Amino acid sequence: MGIPNATLVIHELRALVTPGGAGPLRGRELADLAVISPASLAIRDGAVVSVGRPEDVRREVRRESELMDGRGLIALPGFVDCHTHAAFLGDRVEEFDLRSRGASYEELHAAGGGIASTVRATRAGSEEELARAVERHLRWMLGHGTTTAEVKSGYGLDRDTELRSLRAAVAAGERCPVDVVPTYLGAHSVPPEFGSAEEYVEFAIREVIPEAARIARQADVFMERGAFEAPEARRYLKACRDAGLDLRLHGDQFTERGAVPLAIELGARSVDHLEATGEEGVRALASSDVAAVLLPASALFLDRPFPPGRALVDAGAIVALATDFNPGSSFCESLPLVMSLACTRMGLSPAEALAACTANAAHVLGLDGRVGRLLPGYRADLLLLSAPDWRYVAYHLGGEHLEMVIKAGEAVWPSPMYQPAV
Ligand code: NIG
Ligand code: FE
């Protein structure tokens, strides 16, 4: 039984590489990629319809409207960045300069800089300015191969700016070829107009969550000394869950203060950061369905210890990787760079790093079966690399091997008119 026709066939690729299986990958499964070489791929109506050796795809697909020569190119699934703070205005370049001369991130935060300074800049802008900023950030990501990105609010911390940030994230996703999953990070920091975290959480529950839950798909909290402790985080997350949002937590970034047990108690999708997580936390995550989202660019940028990536994979946790793109702790939108750090600083193999920022990242965003793999039925979001070996994507630190990004079957980067050199 063949497939009568396809919109596009990419013929005779040097290789096609994709995580296999379905749903989240744990332990040894994480390294279990399908590497087909040579390979062809057929797309119809924005979705993958056939993948395999060129002769098999040829036999299955009788006719196509467009044939692309894939010789010399390697296809990978489009990257999924499951943790970004792309909805902000202004920058923190002055703070970066101070940090380069010894000031610490936590000191700057305590002195009213850090997140609070980005909150001031973001509150001062219009919704259109924010949408344009998010779009610019998404286009930077696209240039590094990201085709789906989570975008958190969290630099408004008042009703209007939080809702504006979420709407701007949605609008930016509609204006450019990166799909956006909006996340309400209402509990990012306690804004200056509130006396305590408890008071602020009560305000968010009463005034913001009902409306935010109509726009966002997920909710997040920053559990840390000087931000939110377990009791307020629990109250906020339960209200978000009741409003229909999936739960995420920023936890164990600087100190362990109960984020892992709280994530498990509430059935969160993930707990993210984990630079300070000890053996007990690793064991607890491994025996749960809560994903561990590791953000090594943030550890690098703040000169912090790296999370226990190898131990988490070996113990059987669901491990995903993301950039944590934001103006303060990780001004980095490159998942290839994150993969390099995962390999050089956390002991993951290139195969594990790839699955962690495709299939497992898609799982964190609730997109299982839709993106993150190049298998029939998945959306045709893919990258064409020009490299001798697919592992160059992690091996070549800061390297540039991306030739083309295809989104739902359409060439979208560098430009729709672009023809790859073969
Ligand atoms: O994930 N840790 C909390 N939030 C962000 C940083 C936000 C900022 O510094 O602006 C993070 O690292
Ligand atoms: Fe973050």
Side-chain angles (χ1 to χ4, degrees), residues 83-85 152 185 188 220 250 272-273 295 324 326 329:
H83 182 137
T84 92
H85 302 253
K152 300 179 196 289
L185 174 53
H188 195 192
D220 196 351
H250 279 69
D272 306 35
H273 272 290
L295 311 165
D324 197 21
N326 75 74
S329 70

Side-chain angles (χ1 to χ4, degrees), residues 93-384:
V93 65
E94 291 305 335
E95 196 177 281
F96 176 73
D97 193 320
L98 291 172
R99 285 204 297 110
S100 75
R101 289 177 283 130
S104 87
Y105 178 77
E106 283 178 291
E107 277 161 23
L108 292 162
H109 182 77
I115 294 172
S117 81
T118 302
V119 169
R120 287 191 288 275
T122 305
R123 285 181 176 179
S126 68
E127 187 163 328
E128 179 53 27
E129 282 171 309
L130 251 170
R132 281 206 297 265
V134 179
E135 185 184 348
R136 184 165 64 248
H137 301 151
L138 294 176
R139 289 190 185 277
W140 292 347
M141 295 177 198
L142 181 66
H144 294 272
T146 296
T147 48
T148 301
E150 186 234 25
V151 174
K152 300 179 196 289
S153 67
Y155 293 116
L157 308 179
D158 60 23
R159 184 180 184 280
D160 287 354
T161 319
E162 282 297 306
L163 297 177
R164 207 150 75 224
S165 301
L166 291 171
R167 286 192 300 264
V170 172
E174 285 163 1
R175 293 178 197 178
C176 81
V178 178
D179 284 319
V180 166
V181 174
T183 294
Y184 172 55
L185 174 53
H188 195 192
S189 182
V190 181
E193 56 277 19
F194 287 88
S196 68
E198 291 84 342
E199 246 180 73
Y200 174 64
V201 162
E202 291 312 317
F203 155 81
I205 292 173
R206 215 177 40 244
E207 307 275 335
V208 195
I209 290 175
E211 197 64 30
R214 289 181 217 264
I215 315 169
R217 274 194 250 161
Q218 306 194 320
D220 196 351
V221 59
F222 181 24
M223 270 182 76
E224 192 50 74
R225 177 172 59 208
F228 297 85
E229 299 285 356
E232 305 99 70
R234 180 183 287 105
R235 173 133 176 76
Y236 163 84
L237 289 171
K238 277 187 165 170
C240 290
R241 190 178 60 183
D242 291 347
L245 296 167
D246 280 350
L247 306 183
R248 312 277 304 269
L249 288 86
H250 279 69
D252 298 359
Q253 183 179 8
F254 299 97
T255 50
E256 273 189 299
R257 39 211 322 118
V260 168
L262 183 61
I264 295 169
E265 172 193 325
L266 297 177
R269 282 205 94 86
S270 74
V271 51
D272 306 35
H273 272 290
L274 305 173
E275 288 92 322
T277 304
E279 279 170 26
E280 206 180 314
V282 170
R283 271 197 302 276
L285 283 169
S287 53
S288 79
D289 290 331
V290 178
V293 177
L294 311 181
L295 311 165
S298 159
L300 179 80
F301 207 69
L302 296 185
D303 192 19
R304 302 284 309 162
F306 282 76
R310 183 74 257 153
L312 284 159
V313 173
D314 287 343
I318 301 166
V319 172
L321 289 168
T323 61
D324 197 21
F325 173 77
N326 75 74
S329 70
S330 181
F331 197 45
C332 171
E333 65 282 3
S334 167
L335 280 169
L337 186 73
V338 165
M339 289 170 68
S340 293
L341 292 172
C343 297
T344 56
R345 309 303 294 270
M346 298 197 297
L348 268 65
S349 68
E352 290 170 331
L354 179 67
C357 61
T358 54
N360 276 8
H363 170 73
V364 170
L365 297 184
L367 298 174
D368 283 309
R370 290 157 71 183
V371 297
R373 290 176 172 90
L374 290 179
L375 298 176
Y378 280 72
R379 195 160 58 215
D381 292 357
L382 59 124
L383 314 179
L384 297 177

